[in-house]
Amino acid sequence: MNSAPAFPKPLSLVKEAAIPLDLIERLRRRQVVAFVGAGLSIPLGMPSWGQLITSIMESVAAATYNPNPQDAEWLQRAAHTQPEWAAEVLHNMGPDKYVDVIRTVFRTRPTAPFSFAHSFLAILPFRLFLTTNFDPLVE
């Protein structure tokens, strides 16, 4: 079996024509900022927001004496519907465990050796990259 990376197919003419010419020109002039979310690194083994919140929640709950079951139920739902809010609540419940989980999760190496999306973003002439990611893969 060939282990060479699979390259994506070029855009169809219809999709290519849908890219605003003004955006292409601004990109060429380095006037576009790339906003990169957590989804970019998921294929490399990094967790989604919901997965990260669940990991933090399990660690904080294990360290909390007699956690309230209603809080755990709310946090489980919020991990997927309002992850930023759930993260804030978990940070307040157990700041040390919160930081420990983040350090442990993002210290790991990517599971895949190559990401076309990361490579593609690196060659495009963005003015800068803006990210809310904890992972260092965008850097």
Side-chain angles (χ1 to χ4, degrees):
M1 173 137 214
N2 187 353
S3 63
F7 294 100
K9 297 177 184 174
L11 291 176
S12 69
L13 293 177
V14 173
K15 286 184 179 180
E16 188 175 317
I19 299 172
L21 294 178
D22 183 53
L23 176 61
I24 294 169
E25 188 55 37
R26 287 177 184 269
L27 186 61
R28 285 183 179 137
R29 287 186 269 152
R30 300 183 58 88
Q31 295 175 333
V32 178
V33 173
F35 180 78
V36 181
L40 184 71
S41 297
I42 291 173
L44 295 176
M46 294 291 123
S48 67
W49 251 112
Q51 292 166 332
L52 178 62
I53 297 303
T54 299
S55 295
I56 295 169
M57 184 175 61
E58 290 167 357
S59 181
V60 169
T64 304
Y65 176 73
N66 199 15
N68 182 339
Q70 290 176 333
D71 290 346
E73 186 179 312
W74 176 85
L75 280 167
Q76 188 64 42
R77 281 193 317 272
H80 299 284
T81 59
Q82 299 173 305
E84 296 87 355
W85 180 249
E88 187 68 29
V89 169
L90 287 165
H91 183 263
N92 289 332
M93 287 173 67
D96 293 337
K97 286 295 177 186
Y98 181 92
V99 171
D100 286 347
V101 171
I102 289 174
R103 283 188 178 138
T104 300
V105 168
F106 294 109
R107 191 177 306 144
T108 61
R109 292 291 216 204
T111 56
F114 175 79
S115 165
F116 180 81
H118 283 84
S119 299
F120 187 67
L121 284 176
I123 64 171
L124 288 173
F126 288 107
R127 181 175 182 92
L128 60 94
F129 291 86
L130 179 64
T131 184
T132 58
N133 291 5
F134 286 109
D135 76 70
L137 301 178
V138 174
E139 296 168 1

